[in-house]
Amino acid sequence: MLDPSTVWFITGCSSGVGKSLANLVHSAGHRLVATARNVDSLSYLPDGPNVLKLALDVTSKPAIHETLSATVTKFGRLDMVINNAGYVLMGDTETIPESDARLQLDTLFWGPAFISQEAVRIFREVNPAGAGGTIVQISSIGGYMTFPGSAFYHAGKFALGGFTESFAKEMNPDWNIRFLVVAPGGIKSNFGANGKFLPRHPAYDTPDGPLNRLIKYMMDPVAQASFSEADDCAKALFGVLDGQDERPLPVRLLLGPEALPLLEAEMKKTQEEMEAWRDVTVSTSSTGGAQNVPIL
């Protein structure tokens, strides 16, 4: 189990899973660095020696450096990094402005990537030798599979997953640095409140259009009733990180009951497509295989 002296750094603590996890960490008596774009949104956390509330725009590399430096100055170490800040950009991909697309990628990918790079350095060079640390990327089922109307959101989440898995494979085991990609499904109340919806293109904005069908489902109270509670997601994640389960930390962790059938169906479709086109795939090499590719 985690020691109460554990130092947590959590982004996006103004609402949703970030807020729930911040409350849970504080209630457990651990040391907490809670960040949000507007520090006033963190007023639900009491002031005290174990709480540091900081304003952070994750799209700013200097701001990332400043907040992580402030964390080390305050607590002398860093143990848990939760990259949670984010939002969904929705619209017809053909007409999404470049500025909106770039901001989405800066928020969902570059911010967590820069935080992860700096956190690994702190784990290795500031923490006691071998103490290590853990980086958790709050991704989405949308980091495995796609839905209409969120192309740049999916681009950011897919990029973050690939970056994290590759970075994790670079770690020396002696450093004791771990990575986890968390992929929730639907979470109550975050679809409308934590998204940016751009004006529709008339060619796509039809009653039977794919994006309109998705929005209708997501806004349906019956569908929303089945979504996960942010508090329950935070509790499950805290339990995994606290070592309450003896299984090794997974590479990716799904949260939400709908995540399993969605991903299972996607994997089945991919497997069937691979088999259907196997002859073309292997036809490009006279050896017929790649037996010597190293698998890490």
Side-chain angles (χ1 to χ4, degrees):
M1 299 198 40
L2 295 173
D3 189 274
S5 64
T6 299
V7 177
W8 297 68
F9 180 95
I10 307 175
T11 69
C13 293
S14 62
S15 63
V17 173
K19 181 177 181 179
S20 295
L21 188 58
N23 273 322
L24 194 56
V25 167
H26 177 261
S27 298
H30 295 190
R31 296 184 288 181
L32 170 66
V33 181
T35 75
R37 289 181 65 94
N38 181 0
V39 75
D40 291 340
S41 66
L42 305 177
S43 60
Y44 64 88
L45 288 168
D47 296 320
N50 286 338
V51 177
L52 179 62
K53 293 180 274 188
L54 298 173
L56 173 60
D57 176 357
V58 298
T59 69
S60 168
K61 195 172 184 179
I64 289 171
H65 179 75
E66 289 174 11
T67 53
L68 286 171
S69 294
T71 298
V72 173
T73 299
K74 170 74 173 178
F75 295 119
R77 61 183 296 153
L78 175 63
D79 302 293
M80 289 283 176
V81 171
I82 314 295
N83 281 314
N84 170 73
Y87 67 98
V88 58
L89 174 68
M90 295 197 75
D92 304 305
T93 303
E94 181 182 338
T95 56
I96 290 178
E98 181 180 344
S99 58
D100 286 291
R102 287 185 178 276
L103 183 59
Q104 178 84 125
L105 269 293
D106 284 344
T107 303
L108 299 183
F109 173 66
W110 285 111
F114 291 145
I115 291 172
S116 299
Q117 287 176 314
E118 182 69 7
V120 163
R121 184 194 66 78
I122 295 171
F123 292 160
R124 189 183 63 248
E125 299 178 6
V126 176
N127 290 358
T134 302
I135 295 173
V136 178
Q137 319 286 24
I138 304 298
S139 182
S140 163
I141 189 68
Y144 284 104
M145 59 183 299
T146 63
F147 301 93
S150 304
F152 292 103
Y153 175 84
H154 290 299
K157 293 300 188 182
F158 269 70
L160 183 61
F163 164 86
T164 302
E165 291 190 27
S166 177
F167 199 7
K169 290 176 179 179
E170 298 175 19
M171 297 298 105
N172 185 322
D174 294 340
W175 297 345
N176 194 29
I177 296 174
R178 307 183 302 169
F179 291 79
L180 172 63
V181 178
V182 178
I187 299 177
K188 289 181 180 177
S189 80
N190 74 342
F191 179 70
N194 195 27
K196 181 174 182 179
F197 300 83
L198 297 180
R200 302 297 308 280
H201 187 294
Y204 296 90
D205 192 10
T206 59
D208 61 344
L211 178 52
N212 279 337
R213 294 202 305 271
L214 175 64
I215 292 173
K216 182 179 179 180
Y217 166 76
M218 295 296 291
M219 301 304 290
D220 185 345
V222 175
Q224 290 188 1
S226 68
F227 294 167
S228 299
E229 300 283 356
D231 286 348
D232 291 337
C233 290
K235 189 179 301 182
L237 177 57
F238 186 88
V240 170
L241 297 175
D242 195 35
Q244 297 171 14
D245 192 310
E246 296 182 356
R247 288 172 289 184
L249 196 69
V251 175
R252 298 197 185 213
L253 176 67
L254 298 174
L255 291 179
E258 78 282 6
L260 285 173
L262 281 171
L263 186 56
E264 287 168 348
E266 187 74 7
M267 294 172 66
K268 182 175 183 290
K269 183 172 65 175
T270 299
Q271 184 66 38
E272 290 173 348
E273 192 171 82
M274 287 169 56
E275 291 301 323
W277 290 88
R278 178 180 291 273
D279 60 325
V280 175
T281 300
V282 301
S283 70
T284 60
S285 171
S286 59
T287 64
Q291 293 85 357
N292 296 321
V293 176
I295 305 298
L296 301 180

